[in-house]
Structures are given as structure tokens and as C-alpha cells.
């Protein structure tokens, strides 16, 4: 496969990838890798494979192609290609949480002399290094690296890099518990997407929305957190971005747990108030809290579907079926059925809660 044909096939793969036909794009690129004798074309297609496997969460494959890309760069004897391949190797190790290796490869990138791409890729190297320091909880060095990456972005009018740095700064400030700044930076990233991101991949919008969701949750703005997380998950599902899907699922769980904590707090409040008003003989107030207590029990489904008694008022052994419905153990034993009394699914192998 010659240079022109290699270029055509790479472009064909990019068109397939951008239209979410990922597996077909990978097949085209792998065929180029097998058949092309054009070193520059091979280097470029390896970069495509690194990016695609990164976005799909296949980090070991990402690392494998990054290693092959370094060998190709050495054959080309070009410092710019070597810088790009070392950066891909740093990113691959970052994704695999090999943070010390990431920092080492980033330092190698920064030590390569006289590269034309240095001004363009220097900010990305600093960003990757910052993410690695953040993974190691070396906060001062992480912040220094992020600020350096931000300066690169501003000096080179690189809005895409600035967007990525803002998302990383959102993670940084969430970890150091400055939640206002944890929200400010991903909001800034979302503004950049709106202003400049028409030609960008939707992953940048998804990324900013996810970090906004995390910050909103930490600030207790659960409605806004849910909206942002849903938007991020929608894009992640559309593009097959499995790592982002996993992060969104964790965020959804945290949001629901926060909501559940609020509901359980209300339940405890009404239960305590009921005891106080009962002891004082205040019947009207007592009735109001009894009614609200049972409404909360029904809303949170904290009751046994067989006997109807609320769960958690007394110490009792519970059993959860695979369908996630919860009952008193004694009620299930007395019921004598093999299926869930609520949804009639087969209960197969119940687990204790």
C-alpha cells in the first residue's frame, strides 16, 4: 500500500470513526498498519489507534500501539514524531494509573530539544503531568503543572487545551474541597465548548458536564447535578465512551445516595417527633407526624411487601431478592413461594442484607 492509498484509508477510517462506526474504523486502520510501507502513514494511523482505544477505555491496547508508535518515530528519525509518541506513551500510562511512569515520560518529552511541535504539545505534556501528580495526591506540583498548561493554552490561543485543563482543575479543587472553584472551572470549560466547540468532538461537552455534575453534587445542588450527569451520560452512550459511562454511573449513585440520605433524615425526624408528641399527649401534632412518617416510608419503599410493616423501626432480619425487593426473612419463610411477592420474578438465590 503506497503513500496516497495509505492517506485515503486513514481518512476513510476517520470518517467512519466520526460517524460512530468505531469497529469499522478500527478494521480500516488495522489493515493500513498491516499493509502500508509508508512510515509517516503508519505513524499517523498508530496515533488514530491510540486515541480510539483511549476513548473506548481499552488502555492496554492504547499502550501497545503507543509503544509501536515510538519504534516508528525512531525509524523516521524525527524529533517532532518522537515527542508525540512519548506523549502518547505518557497518556497511556496515565490511564493505567502508572503515574510515576507518566511523569517520567513527560519529563522525557520536555527534555527533547528543538522540536517544532514543542510549543503546541508542551501544554498537553504539562496537563498529563498534572493529572499524574493529582493521581499521586502531590497537590502543589499538580497545580503548578496545570497552571503551566493553562499558560500554554492562553499563549497559543488553544481553546481545546484550555477546556481540558479547566476540567482537570475542577477535579483538583474537588479533591482539596474547594467546591466553588470545583464548579467554576468546569463551567468555564462548558463556556469554551459553547463558544468554540462546534468542530470539536462531543466528548469535550460530555467531559465538562460530568465535572459540573460532580461539583454540583458536592455543593448539594442535586437537581443541577442530575441534569449535567444525564447530559454527559447521553453523549457517552452515543459515542461508546465506556470510561465516561462508568464515571457517570458513579456520579448517579452518589446523587441518589445524597437524596436518599435526605429522605432518611426526614424519616428519622418524623419518627423522633412522633415519640416526643406521644409522650406529651399532643394528639394533633402526633397525627401529623405519624401521617408524614408513613408517607416517607411509602416514598422510600422502606416497608415489607408481605406484612406491610415499615423496615428499620425494629431490629429484624431482612432478605433481598435478586430483583432488589426487600422483605422480612420471617415473612418470606412463612409465605412459602419461590417467586418475589411484589414482581413475581423467580427469586432463585436470595442474599442477606
Amino acid at each position: 500500500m503506497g503513500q496516497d492509498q495509505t492517506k485515503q484509508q486513514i481518512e476513510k477510517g476517520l470518517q467512519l470513526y466520526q460517524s460512530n462506526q468505531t469497529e469499522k474504523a478500527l478494521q480500516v486502520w488495522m489493515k493500513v498498519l498491516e499493509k502500508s510501507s509508508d512510515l509517516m502513514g503508519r505513524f499517523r494511523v498508530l496515533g488514530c489507534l491510540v486515541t480510539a482505544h483511549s476513548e473506548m477505555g481499552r488502555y492496554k491496547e492504547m499502550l501497545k500501539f503507543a509503544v509501536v508508535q515510538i519504534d516508528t518515530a525512531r525509524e523516521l528519525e524525527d524529533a517532532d514524531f518522537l515527542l508525540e509518541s512519548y506523549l502518547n506513551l505518557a497518556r497511556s500510562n496515565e490511564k493505567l494509573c502508572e503515574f510515576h511512569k507518566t511523569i517520567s515520560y513527560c519529563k522525557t518529552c520536555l527534555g527533547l530539544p528543538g522540536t517544532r511541535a514543542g510549543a503546541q504539545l508542551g501544554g498537553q505534556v504539562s496537563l498529563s503531568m498534572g493529572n499524574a501528580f493529582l493521581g499521586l495526591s502531590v497537590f502543589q506540583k499538580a497545580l503548578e503543572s496545570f497552571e503551566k498548561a493553562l499558560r500554554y493554552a492562553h499563549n497559543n490561543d488553544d481553546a481545546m487545551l484550555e477546556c481540558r485543563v479547566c476540567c482537570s482543575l475542577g477535579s483538583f479543587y474537588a479533591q482539596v474541597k474547594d467546591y466553588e472553584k470545583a464548579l467554576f472551572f468546569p463551567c468555564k470549560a462548558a463556556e469554551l465548548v459553547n463558544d468554540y466547540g462546534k468542530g470539536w468532538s462531543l466528548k469535550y461537552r460530555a467531559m465538562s458536564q460530568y465535572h459540573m455534575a460532580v461539583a454540583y453534587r458536592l455543593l448539594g445542588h442535586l437537581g443541577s447535578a442530575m441534569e449535567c450527569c444525564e447530559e454527559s451520560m447521553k453523549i457517552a452512550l452515543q459515542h461508546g465512551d465506556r470510561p465516561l459511562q462508568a464515571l457517570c454511573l458513579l456520579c448517579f449513585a452518589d446523587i441518589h445516595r445524597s437524596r436518599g440520605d435526605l429522605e432518611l433524615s426526614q424519616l428519622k425526624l418524623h419518627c423522633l417527633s412522633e415519640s416526643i408528641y406521644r409522650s406529651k399527649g399532643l394528639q394533633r401534632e402526633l397525627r401529623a407526624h405519624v401521617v408524614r412518617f408513613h408517607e416517607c416510608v411509602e416514598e422510600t419503599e422502606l416497608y415489607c411487601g408481605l406484612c406491610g410493616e415499615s423496615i428499620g423501626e425494629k431490629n429484624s432480619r431482612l432478605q433481598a431478592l435478586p430483583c432488589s425487593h426487600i422483605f422480612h426473612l420471617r415473612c418470606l419463610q412463612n409465605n412459602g413461594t419461590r417467586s418475589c411477592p411484589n414482581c413475581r420474578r423467580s427469586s432463585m438465590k436470595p442474599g442477606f442484607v
Side-chain angles (χ1 to χ4, degrees), residues 50 69 89 103 107 111 132 167 180 187 190 192-193 213 223-224 270 273 289 304 309 319 342 353:
V50 166
Q69 193 184 42
L89 195 56
I103 292 165
K107 287 179 178 178
C167 287
E180 295 293 339
C187 283
L192 290 166
V193 172
S224 297
H270 291 302
S273 300
H289 282 283
C304 175
E309 289 183 12
Q319 202 165 43
N342 278 17
V353 176

Side-chain angles (χ1 to χ4, degrees), residues 277-292:
Y277 288 124
R278 190 184 300 279
S279 65
K280 292 189 174 183
L282 300 173
Q283 295 301 316
R284 189 178 68 178
E285 291 83 353
L286 171 63
R287 280 195 299 271
H289 282 283
V290 168
V291 169
R292 189 67 195 110

Side-chain angles (χ1 to χ4, degrees), residues 304-309 317 319 326-337 341:
C304 175
L306 283 169
C307 70
E309 289 183 12
R317 203 172 185 192
Q319 202 165 43
I326 302 173
F327 303 88
H328 290 119
L329 177 60
R330 65 175 186 275
C331 294
L332 280 176
Q333 289 172 337
N334 294 336
N335 187 53
T337 179

Side-chain angles (χ1 to χ4, degrees), residues 142-191:
L143 187 56
E144 287 172 1
S145 297
F146 290 143
E147 288 176 344
K148 190 174 181 181
L150 208 53
R151 285 197 296 273
Y152 270 104
H154 291 157
N155 292 339
N156 293 282
D157 294 323
D158 190 340
M160 194 179 290
L161 173 61
E162 185 179 356
C163 176
R164 291 170 59 200
V165 176
C166 284
C167 287
S168 289
L169 282 166
S171 290
F172 173 87
Y173 283 109
Q175 287 197 37
V176 298
K177 295 182 168 49
D178 186 341
Y179 299 145
E180 295 293 339
K181 286 183 181 174
L183 179 60
F184 170 81
F185 282 103
C187 283
K188 175 64 177 174
E191 286 178 16

Side-chain angles (χ1 to χ4, degrees), residues 78 88 93 104 119 157 169 172 200 207 214 224 233 235 279 296:
D78 186 295
N88 281 333
N93 280 283
S104 177
D157 294 323
L169 282 166
F172 173 87
W200 298 2
M207 189 168 56
V214 170
S224 297
M233 177 61 100
I235 298 170
S279 65
C296 284

